[in-house]
Amino acid sequence: QEDRQGLPFVGKAGQLLTKILETAEINRDNDIYIANTVKCRPPENRTPTAEEIKMCYPYLEAQIFHVKPKIMLLAGAPAVKTILGTDEGMTKIRGKWFKYQGIDVMPIFHPSYLLRNQSRAVGSPKWYTWQDMIELKGAREFIKKVAELS
């Protein structure tokens, strides 16, 4: 779907991402810019290789430079590895704040992972994602207040 439409996160995972963002009062069409680590889906929707990521990284870097985000969410391990350069497990680092070129960055579970893990029980990936959105909402409100004071 992404390659056909030329847009990131437009399939089932994208629909879930939209719902997740809405819990933090983020409007996908007006409040955010979504970019993928690689600029076309690898065959059979597999995880991108290091070489594919390396080839696409200059484009991602240019997108970040031009958009100048205040906050970046890194959805899944390939995004985390690309931006933060770590192989730490998502369960360990999700929901924590990091810095990338002065930008506040938070790893979250990829929506496709959440589709494969449907439980909402305490300690499940979906439960952790809910906690991450509560944290994100608080950070966004703080940024807005600081901007108003400037």
Side-chain angles (χ1 to χ4, degrees), residues 54-116:
K54 183 179 175 182
M55 290 177 66
C56 293
Y57 183 75
Y59 299 101
L60 177 62
E61 194 172 45
Q63 287 175 301
I64 294 167
F65 175 79
H66 288 291
V67 172
K68 295 177 180 50
K70 291 179 178 63
I71 295 174
M72 285 181 10
L73 296 180
L74 306 178
V80 169
K81 184 171 183 164
T82 301
I83 298 298
L84 299 179
T86 183
D87 286 321
E88 280 194 82
M90 287 299 298
T91 301
K92 185 175 182 179
I93 64 170
R94 54 114 304 266
K96 295 180 181 174
W97 291 104
F98 298 87
K99 286 282 190 186
Y100 172 78
Q101 298 180 3
I103 303 165
D104 292 312
V105 175
M106 180 194 289
I108 63 170
F109 289 117
H110 195 284
S112 63
Y113 178 75
L114 299 175
L115 288 171
R116 296 188 305 271

Side-chain angles (χ1 to χ4, degrees), residues 115-129:
L115 288 171
R116 296 188 305 271
N117 294 275
Q118 292 292 320
S119 173
R120 294 180 186 201
V122 172
S124 70
K126 282 192 173 183
W127 183 84
Y128 280 127
T129 300

Side-chain angles (χ1 to χ4, degrees), residues 9-20:
F9 287 95
V10 293
K12 287 182 181 180
Q15 292 167 9
L16 179 56
L17 178 62
T18 299
K19 289 179 186 176
I20 290 167

